[in-house]
Amino acid sequence: MTQAAGRPFPPSFDDEFRIRFEELLVWRRDVRRFRNDPVPPHLEERLLDLVQLAPSVGNSQPWRFVRVKSENARKVVRTSFEQCNRKALAGFEGARAKAYAELKLSGLDQAPLQLAVFCEEATSQGHGLGRATMPETLAWSVVGAIHLLWLSARIHGLGLGWVSILDPVEVTRGLDVPPSWKLIAYLCLGWPEDINDVPELERLRWQARTTEGRIVLDR
């Protein structure tokens, strides 16, 4: 970034950059199959630094990360996943149940880096700006930070998988975090075994991407 008359001059993003950015969006995947190679500590720290650039309501930056490294902590998460996954499977019947049972829904056994991401609901940072009438914007801010992490990881060749088949109460209790922290996501990060520009759930015909998500109304 250069300066003009003592003021920062914003960068210009050309057509080549815009094309590459669109490619990044296309190739961002929810990864569940990882190699066991560790993520270099300097790269892990770089990604967590980039997260701090995410937008947040009132500049509250309510995201809190827990590196889940110990065998006992990971066992808590794995047990919760297995229990919740069995319950989810019981909710399907016939061909849909068979298809669900064949899905690989987490990278818990392979991903070298695992992060539990929480929202600090009692944070004083931001002085409550913007969330008096919509307190859920704190959690939304954390989701925005996760998406930024997702894209940043892909840029560096890493894959990220979001494990949502968990009991948040059990996981929160098992990780022994402050009571004001609310679990938003459990993330698996690592080097993907392979990557495809078509989401796995589309390739396995669980659910195709449709136009139903693009709903724009004029008023």
Side-chain angles (χ1 to χ4, degrees):
M1 180 179 294
T2 59
Q3 289 188 336
R7 299 176 61 187
F9 189 79
S12 176
F13 302 109
D14 58 17
D15 287 342
E16 181 180 358
F17 179 89
R18 286 188 282 271
I19 291 172
R20 296 290 287 169
F21 180 72
E22 290 178 9
E23 290 177 346
L24 171 62
L25 300 183
V26 169
W27 283 89
R28 181 214 56 79
R29 292 275 70 82
D30 187 359
V31 176
R32 300 178 181 88
R33 294 175 173 82
F34 298 92
R35 305 199 312 261
N36 292 324
D37 314 46
V39 177
H42 73 273
L43 179 52
E44 177 185 340
E45 293 303 321
R46 178 57 179 160
L47 294 177
L48 293 177
D49 285 342
L50 290 173
V51 165
Q52 307 311 313
L53 299 176
S56 60
V57 60
N59 201 22
S60 56
Q61 296 174 267
W63 40 80
R64 304 290 185 266
F65 290 85
V66 175
R67 293 186 182 94
V68 184
K69 302 170 68 174
S70 72
E71 182 178 346
N72 286 340
R74 290 194 175 190
K75 183 178 180 181
V76 168
V77 178
R78 159 55 70 183
T79 299
S80 179
F81 170 78
E82 291 174 346
Q83 292 174 345
C84 292
N85 196 41
R86 284 195 294 269
K87 291 179 181 178
L89 175 59
F92 297 104
E93 297 179 351
R96 183 61 71 175
K98 182 177 183 298
Y100 182 91
E102 294 174 351
L103 294 175
K104 182 174 175 56
L105 297 173
S106 82
L108 294 173
D109 293 330
Q110 300 166 303
L113 176 58
Q114 300 184 25
L115 300 171
V117 189
F118 294 84
C119 175
E120 169 56 278
E121 296 186 311
T123 182
S124 60
Q125 183 164 326
H127 309 288
L129 178 65
R131 61 180 194 264
T133 55
M134 299 182 71
E136 61 271 23
T137 51
L138 270 180
W140 297 346
S141 297
V142 178
V143 173
I146 292 168
H147 190 231
L148 191 153
L149 175 63
W150 215 326
L151 295 178
S152 300
R154 180 85 287 276
I155 288 173
H156 288 278
L158 288 170
L160 183 151
W162 185 327
V163 184
S164 59
I165 306 174
L166 296 170
D167 184 321
V169 175
E170 290 180 359
V171 173
T172 299
R173 183 188 305 117
L175 296 181
D176 191 25
V177 299
S180 60
W181 290 19
K182 177 182 179 180
L183 182 68
I184 302 298
Y186 192 88
L187 308 177
C188 293
L189 286 95
W191 307 104
E193 285 187 349
D194 57 63
I195 195 164
N196 195 296
D197 64 345
V198 179
E200 184 171 334
L201 294 183
E202 286 191 53
R203 300 199 308 273
L204 297 179
R205 299 184 180 180
W206 177 266
Q207 175 63 66
R209 189 177 297 278
T210 69
T211 60
E212 294 178 7
R214 191 180 188 280
I215 300 175
V216 181
L217 302 178
D218 293 322
R219 291 288 187 264

